[in-house]
Amino acid sequence: MANENDTFIREVNEQIRSEQMSNFWGRYGIVVIGAAVLIVLSAAGVGIYEYWNTNRASASGDQFASALKLASEGKNDEALKAFSDLETAGHGSYPVLAKFRSATLLAQKGDAAGAIAAFTAIGNDNSAPQVFRDTAKVRAAWLLVDTGTYEQVSAQAEVLTGEGQAMRNSAREALGLSAYKAGDFVKAKQWFEQITADVQAPRNVTSRAQIMLDNIAASGKAA
């Protein structure tokens, strides 16, 4: 009798579970299936987007290589046009690379003002990687050593002279040369001494700084 009762109870429980499951699928089956479809489509969408984005970046890379080839062949105007197209329609890191290369080409063509403006724009672009921004500021500063004032060089480079800044010694050298050119030998000496005191400064930069310090000492104008 007990066995029959146990069997009956199990059958009733199974029936209840079956009915509950049927009711569940009747009420929520479409939702569950829809959610599953969305998960599958989302995963597929991510894969498709990554593939599409990779292809776009790859195409931009090909355009960038073609523009570099034009520049290497001396076809500067054509190269500048190609880089300009990449700046507006490129993908990945290629727009900022194109801006940087365009600025370099302008400098090579002798358009210092245009190059300085282009490098300054990159240096002020918060969307650009920091390394590009810092390098652009140093490039602008070096161009301004020949064409601008000490204050203009300082506006570009001084923010990069602190300890821990990767390009500090290039920035210090630009500031030292600009101060020397302006006749401010005391300030020039300070910048060059910061370079020679920095054990991490590249050897060639340290050597140039020491030469400038020797020249300043010989002049007797920064005692």
Side-chain angles (χ1 to χ4, degrees):
M1 184 68 175
N3 289 338
E4 291 178 359
N5 287 338
D6 291 343
T7 300
F8 175 74
I9 291 171
R10 282 198 301 273
E11 289 175 354
V12 170
N13 286 335
E14 287 173 3
Q15 183 65 31
I16 291 173
R17 284 196 294 271
S18 177
E19 289 176 359
Q20 288 176 332
M21 187 60 69
S22 296
N23 289 336
F24 174 83
W25 279 105
R27 294 175 62 185
Y28 303 112
I30 293 176
V31 175
V32 172
I33 292 171
V37 170
L38 283 176
I39 291 171
V40 172
L41 289 177
S42 295
V46 170
I48 291 170
Y49 174 77
E50 289 178 350
Y51 175 77
W52 176 67
N53 203 41
T54 299
N55 275 359
R56 290 196 306 172
S58 178
S60 293
D62 292 340
Q63 288 177 276
F64 186 74
S66 296
L68 287 177
K69 186 173 185 293
L70 289 171
S72 69
E73 293 171 349
K75 300 175 182 178
N76 291 335
D77 291 337
E78 293 177 49
L80 284 169
K81 175 62 169 59
F83 286 128
S84 178
D85 291 342
L86 267 176
E87 289 175 30
T88 56
H91 300 282
S93 298
Y94 289 104
V96 69
L97 283 170
K99 289 177 183 178
F100 205 95
R101 197 65 184 84
S102 290
T104 301
L105 271 181
L106 289 172
Q108 290 174 350
K109 287 180 64 178
D111 184 359
I116 290 166
F119 282 127
T120 299
I122 298 170
N124 293 333
D125 184 358
N126 291 329
S127 67
Q130 191 64 48
V131 65
F132 284 104
R133 295 174 62 192
D134 292 350
T135 304
K137 288 178 181 178
V138 169
R139 291 294 302 277
W142 274 89
L143 287 169
L144 285 164
V145 168
D146 290 328
T147 63
T149 65
Y150 176 83
E151 288 71 26
Q152 289 174 313
V153 174
S154 178
Q156 296 284 353
E158 193 154 354
V159 68
L160 302 174
T161 59
E163 293 299 326
Q165 291 285 344
M167 306 196 72
R168 60 188 180 275
N169 288 302
S170 291
R172 290 167 180 170
E173 187 175 14
L175 285 160
L177 289 172
S178 183
Y180 185 89
K181 180 184 174 186
D184 190 340
F185 295 102
V186 173
K187 190 171 289 182
K189 180 181 177 182
Q190 291 171 349
W191 288 120
F192 292 128
E193 284 180 340
Q194 285 190 40
I195 295 172
T196 58
D198 189 340
V199 296
Q200 294 182 333
R203 183 176 300 175
N204 59 332
V205 178
T206 300
S207 297
R208 290 197 299 268
Q210 188 59 58
I211 290 171
M212 295 304 298
L213 287 171
D214 292 342
N215 288 339
I216 293 170
S219 73
K221 296 180 179 180

